[in-house]
């Protein structure tokens, strides 16, 4: 079964080479009871470790069932020990945090025994070595002699073809030693039993061979008696693999069976969770800060808490829609006149200039600094920021009851008169940056809305089949309402007569269409008359021919058909930015198409900062990983002996890695759940922790998922590095290092 050909083992330590065994030649067969003896330091334990695959050898060749092993890697020796070897160690190598039965049960689970069979086998073996009464006792509470019995029970339970024992009776009294020697002799009838001892007399009557060593060499190899008749063992142990269920169960057991280790790991993982979250959210915070200084060429009022809505069918918003939006928990203010929010108005005269965005009077929630609430259609409240030079307290009082002309678009004809009835200060200085707000009555908002639709529309007047498109800033074919034009009719410039063969436009049909991104509208009108420069003022009721000559005039009613429309867009402002995703989902569920303006900004000026920030955060994350690894490694060093014992028992590297994965991932998951619990308590204001509030301000649901993935990858890498280090040396070398 085992053959050694000139096998030598050397030890290297700080440049010094020591001999373990030198040019050993042996042949060992099943059924033998081999006793190796010699003084301390003679090499007998080294020889035993080489035979059992716990240690490597440098010279010669060891054959197992005729197969050479000089090319074996660590995994090959693990497989060899699992299949062939049961060890009884001089210092027991038991797992002190396990009970007696768990230590014996472990070796059976490693070899693929199911729960029921393993439990039955464990009970039988413990009874055989006289340890049944201590089955549920932790090994750490046993005496030395009792520990030795458990070590022998574990070896017997594994039931392999070779049993190697290093001083198996060293911690027993003479009576117990005789019992153990007898047990070993019984199983030697069909197995190879190799015993290292100082006391040859205890095993003399059972030994079939005595090997005496001195200074690393075999000086005597004496056959004492012939081999006994061999019999087939009816209780041969299985040689399967440890199931995934058992691996998970073992990992979970290891997580909690040493209290201080679990607490230390939990503290480390809590630190890691918060540290990684801090770096992750610093990136989100910086991204949010960058978004505040971005821009958008269409939306000029791009507050980060603003969400622009449209309906899926493109229809107008109704009062019922506004009421439904008010039912969403995270929705604060609602701006029905949404389109106006992106019309930047300039209120100015010779000594004052201020930019403001129009809003409905219903949205005003502030407190007047000076003045009164509006009473007439064109009266407004002007709100600005106190730290703005143009809106300081010593300047705003003189604005009261003053009239200003505001323009929708760039056309002077779009000017509307407003009177400032009151002024107030806006404390939310981030909302519009340097701009303010002007709050208007609903009637005035409708006038502005009509002007806005006009400004953004493509207006085409078709005369005798020829389409004439109005161009902003050019008076020709500009459509204006006139009190002197009757409903259903139109007043055209005299040049329009040239579109007809008889040079007369009067009485013919003309159509006007208005097309924009919200709607298409058209009216069909009869030409009531044409005007010349002389008749312009009388027929149109407009004074300046220079400004409006070339325009077409229709009734206010027909003008309203084209431009006095409702709101096709609506804006809501969220209260809690961290709940933005949930709010967007609620809006989508109600049939709206939402656009959060924080995602609609161009921030190319900050691209360089982002490019620099990402690798910096990556470096910090790598630093955190190594800090966590070194601390966790220090904690797990107390477990190196445990994992070395698993190797000695024949558990493969992959299985040990999975056990370690279960242990670390369990602690990490507990830490992450505790973190989420703290987050929930802080979000619901059950507890108040400023650090956590700041930490989670910009985190959303998917951010927590990303955070978990980052932590999981870190844990997987830590487990991988630690498990690789476990297998850098031989099993006995790793155990000695621990």
């Amino acid at each position: 079964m085992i053959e050694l050909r000139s096998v030598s083992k050397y030890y290297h330590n700080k440049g010094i080479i020591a001999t373990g065994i030198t040019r050993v030649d042996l042949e060992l067969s099943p059924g033998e009871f081999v006793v190796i003896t010699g003084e301390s330091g003679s090499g007998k334990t080294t020889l035993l470790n080489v035979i059992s695959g716990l240690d490597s050898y440098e010279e010669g060749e060891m054959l197992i069932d005729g197969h050479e092993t000089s090319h074996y890697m660590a995994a090959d020796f693990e497989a060899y020990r699992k299949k062939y070897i049961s060890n009884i160690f001089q210092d027991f190598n038991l797992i002190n945090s396990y009970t007696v039965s768990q230590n014996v049960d472990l070796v059976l689970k490693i070899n693929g025994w199911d729960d029921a069979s393993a439990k039955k086998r464990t009970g039988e073996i413990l009874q055989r070595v006289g340890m049944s009464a201590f089955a549920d006792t932790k090994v750490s509470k046993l005496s030395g002699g009792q520990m030795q019995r458990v070590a022998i029970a574990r070896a017997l339970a594994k039931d392999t073809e070779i049993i190697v024992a290093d001083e198996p009776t060293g911690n027993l009294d003479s009576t117990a030693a005789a019992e153990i020697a007898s047990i070993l002799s019984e199983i030697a009838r069909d197995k190879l039993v190799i015993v290292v001892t100082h006391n040859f007399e205890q095993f003399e009557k059972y030994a079939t061979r005595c090997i005496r060593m001195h200074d690393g060499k075999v000086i005597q190899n004496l056959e004492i008696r012939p081999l006994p008749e061999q019999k087939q063992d009816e209780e041969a142990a299985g040689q399967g693999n440890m199931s995934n269920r058992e691996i998970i169960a073992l990992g979970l057991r290891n997580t909690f069976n040493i209290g201080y280790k679990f607490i230390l790991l939990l503290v480390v993982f809590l630190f890691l969770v918060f540290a990684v979250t801090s770096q992750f959210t610093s990136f989100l915070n910086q991204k949010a800060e960058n978004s505040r200084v971005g821009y958008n060429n269409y939306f000029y009022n791009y507050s980060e808490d603003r969400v622009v809505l449209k309906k899926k069918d493109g229809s107008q918003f109704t009062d019922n829609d506004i009421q439904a939006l008010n039912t969403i928990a995270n929705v604060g203010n609602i701006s029905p006149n949404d389109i106006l929010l992106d019309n930047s108005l300039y209120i100015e005269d010779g000594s004052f200039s201020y930019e403001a965005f129009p809003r409905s009077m219903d949205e005003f929630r502030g407190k007047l600094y000076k003045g009164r609430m509006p009473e007439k259609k064109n009266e407004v409240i002007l709100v600005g920021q106190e730290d703005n030079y143009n809106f300081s307290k010593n300047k705003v009082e003189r604005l009261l009851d003053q009239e200003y002309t505001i323009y929708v678009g760039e056309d002077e004809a779009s000017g509307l008169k407003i009177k400032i009835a009151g002024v107030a200060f806006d404390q939310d200085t981030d909302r519009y940056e340097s701009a303010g707000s002007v709050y208007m009555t609903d009637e005035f908002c409708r006038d502005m809305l009509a002007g806005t639709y006009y400004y953004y529309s493509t207006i085409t007047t078709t005369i005798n089949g020829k389409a004439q498109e109005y161009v902003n800033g050019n008076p020709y074919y500009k459509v204006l309402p006139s009190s002197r034009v009757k409903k259903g009719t139109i007043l055209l410039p005299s040049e329009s007569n040239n579109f007809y063969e008889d040079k007369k436009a009067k009485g013919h049909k003309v159509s006007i269409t208005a097309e924009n991104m919200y709607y298409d509208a058209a009216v069909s009108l009869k030409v009531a008359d044409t005007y010349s420069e002389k008749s312009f003022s009388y027929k149109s009721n407009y004074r300046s021919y220079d400004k409006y000559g070339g325009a077409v005039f229709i009734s206010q009613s027909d003008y309203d058909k084209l431009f006095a429309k409702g709101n096709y867009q609506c804006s809501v402002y969220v209260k809690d930015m961290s709940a933005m995703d949930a709010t967007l989902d609620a809006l989508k569920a109600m049939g709206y198409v939402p656009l959060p303006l924080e995602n609609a900004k161009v921030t190319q000026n900050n691209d360089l900062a982002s490019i620099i920030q990402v690798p910096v955060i990556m470096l910090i994350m790598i630093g955190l990983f190594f800090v966590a690894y070194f601390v966790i490694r220090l904690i797990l060093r107390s477990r190196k002996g445990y994992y070395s014992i698993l190797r000695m028992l024949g558990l493969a590297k992959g299985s040990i890695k999975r056990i370690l994965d279960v242990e670390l991932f369990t602690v990490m998951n507990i830490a992450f759940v505790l973190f989420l619990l703290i987050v929930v308590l802080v979000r619901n204001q059950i507890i108040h922790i400023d650090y956590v509030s700041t930490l989670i301000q910009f985190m959303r649901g998917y951010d927590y998922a990303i955070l978990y993935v980052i932590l999981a990858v870190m844990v997987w890498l830590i487990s991988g590095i630690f498990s690789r280090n476990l297998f850098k040396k031989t099993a006995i070398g790793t155990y000695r290092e621990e």
Side-chain angles (χ1 to χ4, degrees):
M1 179 177 289
I2 300 290
E3 182 180 355
L4 278 70
R5 297 176 181 172
S6 299
V7 171
S8 299
K9 169 66 184 176
Y10 304 106
Y11 294 105
H12 306 265
N13 186 21
K14 298 180 180 179
I16 299 174
I17 300 176
T19 301
I21 56 175
T22 304
R23 303 185 66 81
V24 173
D25 292 291
L26 282 177
E27 288 187 14
L28 307 173
S29 303
E32 284 199 86
F33 192 120
V34 180
V35 178
I36 303 175
T37 187
E39 70 273 13
S40 296
S42 61
K44 55 186 182 298
T45 297
T46 300
L47 176 60
L48 198 67
N49 289 338
V50 169
I51 290 173
S52 60
L54 291 174
D55 218 343
S56 59
Y57 58 93
E58 280 70 44
E59 290 181 352
E61 184 66 79
M62 182 172 75
L63 290 84
I64 304 169
D65 283 342
H67 300 290
E68 296 180 351
T69 62
S70 55
H71 64 283
Y72 271 20
M73 306 296 288
D76 298 311
F77 278 114
E78 255 91 66
Y80 161 61
R81 286 196 301 276
K82 179 180 178 183
K83 180 178 180 181
Y84 288 97
I85 303 295
S86 292
N87 288 90
I88 303 172
F89 299 97
Q90 183 177 4
D91 51 1
F92 320 129
N93 287 358
L94 299 173
I95 300 170
N96 290 333
S97 60
Y98 282 15
T99 64
V100 169
S101 61
Q102 286 174 340
N103 269 273
V104 178
D105 178 81
L106 175 63
V107 74
L108 297 173
K109 296 295 180 60
I110 289 175
N111 284 274
W113 286 60
D114 59 68
D115 287 339
S117 300
K119 185 176 180 180
K120 179 182 178 183
R121 175 76 170 173
T122 298
E124 293 171 351
I125 295 297
L126 289 179
Q127 185 175 7
R128 189 173 182 183
V129 298
M131 290 296 293
S132 297
F134 299 92
D136 297 323
T137 304
K138 280 199 172 183
V139 167
S140 58
K141 297 181 180 180
L142 300 179
S143 67
Q146 290 170 329
M147 288 185 182
Q148 188 65 284
R149 289 175 179 270
V150 177
I152 293 170
R154 182 178 62 187
L156 297 179
K158 191 176 180 184
D159 200 16
T160 53
E161 298 181 48
I162 304 171
I163 294 179
V164 294
D166 192 359
E167 298 288 354
T169 60
N171 296 288
L172 303 178
D173 57 39
S174 58
T175 303
E179 292 177 1
I180 296 304
S182 176
I183 293 172
L184 291 175
S185 69
E186 289 178 16
I187 60 177
R189 293 178 182 177
D190 59 303
K191 303 179 188 302
L192 169 61
V193 176
I194 307 170
V195 176
V196 166
T197 181
H198 284 91
N199 192 348
F200 174 71
E201 289 75 16
Q202 287 181 338
F203 299 93
E204 184 176 4
K205 67 178 181 178
Y206 306 114
T208 61
R209 187 190 310 199
C210 176
I211 297 173
R212 190 174 300 278
M213 299 193 68
H214 175 74
D215 200 19
K217 299 178 180 178
V218 175
I219 61 172
Q220 184 184 57
N221 185 358
L222 179 64
E223 183 177 331
I224 299 175
R225 57 180 53 86
L227 299 182
E229 182 180 349
Q230 297 183 25
K231 65 176 182 178
Q232 183 66 36
D233 188 356
E234 297 178 356
E235 297 182 354
Q239 290 295 335
N241 294 317
M242 197 172 192
S243 67
N244 289 328
R245 186 176 69 85
E246 291 298 339
I247 287 174
I248 294 172
L250 196 57
L252 291 175
R253 179 197 296 173
N254 294 342
T255 302
F256 303 105
N257 68 341
I258 302 178
Y260 74 86
K261 176 187 69 73
F262 169 71
I263 296 298
L264 287 174
L265 283 176
L266 183 61
V267 170
V268 172
F269 277 115
L270 280 172
F271 162 78
L272 188 62
V273 170
F274 279 98
V276 172
T277 304
S278 178
Q279 293 305 314
F280 184 65
T281 54
S282 70
F283 175 76
L284 297 179
N285 292 352
Q286 187 60 48
K287 185 178 177 182
E289 290 296 324
N290 290 345
S291 70
R292 288 194 178 103
V293 296
Y295 66 91
N296 186 291
N297 288 327
Y298 182 79
F299 297 103
Y300 296 100
N301 178 0
Y302 36 78
S303 305
E304 64 175 10
D305 55 347
R306 179 185 173 192
V307 179
V308 178
L309 305 176
K310 71 174 184 178
K311 298 172 76 171
K312 287 183 178 179
D313 60 3
S315 62
Q316 299 180 43
F317 280 80
T318 65
D319 290 341
N320 289 335
D321 292 320
I322 304 303
Q323 291 175 9
L325 292 173
N326 270 312
T327 64
I328 300 177
N330 194 37
V331 169
N333 289 340
I334 300 174
S335 295
N337 300 303
D338 172 87
I339 300 173
L340 301 182
L341 298 181
D342 299 299
N343 285 326
S344 179
L345 306 176
Y346 288 90
I347 301 170
E348 55 188 338
D349 57 22
S351 59
F352 175 79
S353 176
Y354 196 66
E355 182 183 10
F357 290 99
R359 301 187 71 168
S360 171
M361 190 65 66
D362 294 337
E363 299 175 54
F364 180 68
R365 299 289 184 271
K367 182 179 180 181
L368 289 177
Y369 170 67
K370 293 289 182 180
R372 56 181 172 78
M373 296 299 291
E375 298 172 355
K376 298 181 180 179
K377 172 183 175 179
N378 68 327
E379 291 183 337
V380 301
I381 296 175
L382 186 60
V383 178
Q385 299 164 6
E386 188 175 351
D387 58 354
N388 188 293
Y389 174 77
N390 288 328
F391 207 77
S392 58
K393 288 183 177 180
N394 62 345
K395 290 186 177 183
V396 297
E397 288 191 43
R398 67 182 183 83
L399 303 178
L400 296 176
D401 293 323
Q402 297 296 313
E403 280 197 350
Y404 295 89
T405 302
I406 58 174
Y407 298 93
V408 181
E410 301 174 355
D411 195 336
E412 289 187 6
S414 65
L416 298 170
K417 296 286 186 181
I418 62 169
K419 178 185 284 189
I420 299 177
V423 294
F425 292 107
D426 186 359
Q427 300 303 318
D428 189 359
T429 57
D430 289 335
R431 174 165 287 187
Y432 306 123
E433 297 178 359
S434 61
S437 302
V438 54
Y439 290 86
M440 305 172 171
T441 63
D442 288 342
E443 294 86 354
F444 198 89
C445 283
R446 282 193 286 271
D447 289 347
M448 276 204 66
L449 193 60
T452 302
Y453 285 137
Y454 186 103
Y455 180 73
Y456 286 114
S457 293
T458 299
I459 302 171
T460 305
T461 303
T462 303
I463 306 174
N464 196 23
K466 296 179 177 61
Q468 308 300 313
E469 186 175 315
Y470 165 67
V471 179
N472 279 326
N474 190 321
Y476 288 99
Y477 301 104
K478 179 179 179 65
V479 178
L480 295 173
S482 172
S483 58
R484 298 204 175 162
V485 177
K486 295 181 179 181
K487 180 180 179 181
T489 65
I490 186 172
L491 176 64
L492 297 176
S494 57
E495 291 84 350
S496 303
N497 291 318
N498 295 323
F499 285 91
Y500 299 94
E501 291 184 4
D502 59 1
K503 305 300 181 181
K504 291 182 180 180
K506 186 176 180 179
H508 288 280
K509 288 286 186 179
V510 172
S511 67
I512 301 177
T513 60
E515 299 177 2
N516 54 54
M517 63 182 296
Y518 305 106
Y519 67 86
D520 297 337
V523 291
S524 179
L525 306 169
K526 183 178 181 180
V527 180
D529 205 349
T530 60
Y531 65 84
S532 62
E533 183 176 359
K534 290 183 178 180
S535 62
F536 172 76
S537 296
Y538 170 73
K539 292 183 178 181
S540 69
N541 205 27
Y542 283 74
R543 293 182 180 181
S544 176
Y545 183 80
D546 292 336
K547 286 184 179 181
Y548 306 121
V552 297
F553 298 91
I554 61 178
S555 69
Q556 185 66 52
S557 175
D558 292 324
Y559 184 89
D560 290 345
K561 287 181 181 179
L562 292 172
F563 306 110
K565 302 291 184 179
N567 291 291
Y568 292 87
Q569 239 177 236
C570 178
S571 277
V572 297
Y573 292 86
V574 299
K575 299 174 184 177
D576 182 1
M577 288 295 295
S578 64
M580 174 67 84
D581 286 343
T583 306
L584 296 178
D585 290 340
L587 292 168
K588 291 175 183 176
M590 295 175 70
Y592 301 111
V593 180
L595 172 65
L597 291 197
E598 66 165 345
N599 299 336
K601 296 181 185 178
V602 178
T603 57
Q604 68 182 62
N605 292 336
N606 298 296
D607 286 347
L608 180 60
S610 297
I611 291 171
I612 295 172
Q613 185 187 18
V614 170
V616 168
I617 290 178
M618 290 292 293
L619 288 174
I620 294 174
M621 290 287 195
I622 293 172
L624 285 173
F625 165 77
F626 281 107
V627 169
Y629 168 70
F630 286 121
V631 175
I632 291 172
R633 187 182 70 172
L634 286 174
I635 298 171
L636 290 179
R637 281 192 68 176
S638 64
R639 306 293 287 165
K640 253 190 174 182
Y642 168 78
Y643 289 110
S644 296
I645 290 172
L646 293 184
R647 287 186 65 187
M648 293 175 185
L649 297 177
L651 192 60
K653 179 180 178 180
S655 296
I656 291 176
K657 168 68 166 61
R658 292 199 296 275
I659 291 172
L660 186 60
D661 285 342
V662 172
E663 186 172 350
L664 294 183
F665 271 96
T666 299
V667 181
M668 186 273 284
N669 282 318
I670 292 172
F672 193 74
V673 169
L674 288 176
F675 167 73
L676 293 180
L677 179 61
I678 293 171
V679 169
V680 171
L681 293 175
V682 170
R683 283 198 186 279
N684 290 281
Q685 300 181 345
I686 297 173
I687 61 175
H688 181 72
I689 304 175
D690 289 336
Y691 169 70
V692 177
S693 299
T694 304
L695 203 63
I696 63 176
Q697 181 180 2
F698 293 97
M699 290 193 68
R700 300 171 184 174
Y702 60 82
D703 292 324
Y704 291 100
I706 293 172
L707 174 62
Y708 182 85
V709 171
I710 293 173
L711 292 168
V713 170
M714 284 187 169
V715 172
W716 182 77
L717 290 174
I718 289 171
S719 174
I721 295 173
F722 187 80
S723 62
R724 280 196 298 273
N725 287 336
L726 284 174
F727 285 80
K728 279 185 176 180
K729 296 183 178 181
T730 60
I732 197 67
T734 303
Y735 185 77
R736 285 171 179 160
E737 182 185 66
E738 188 275 329

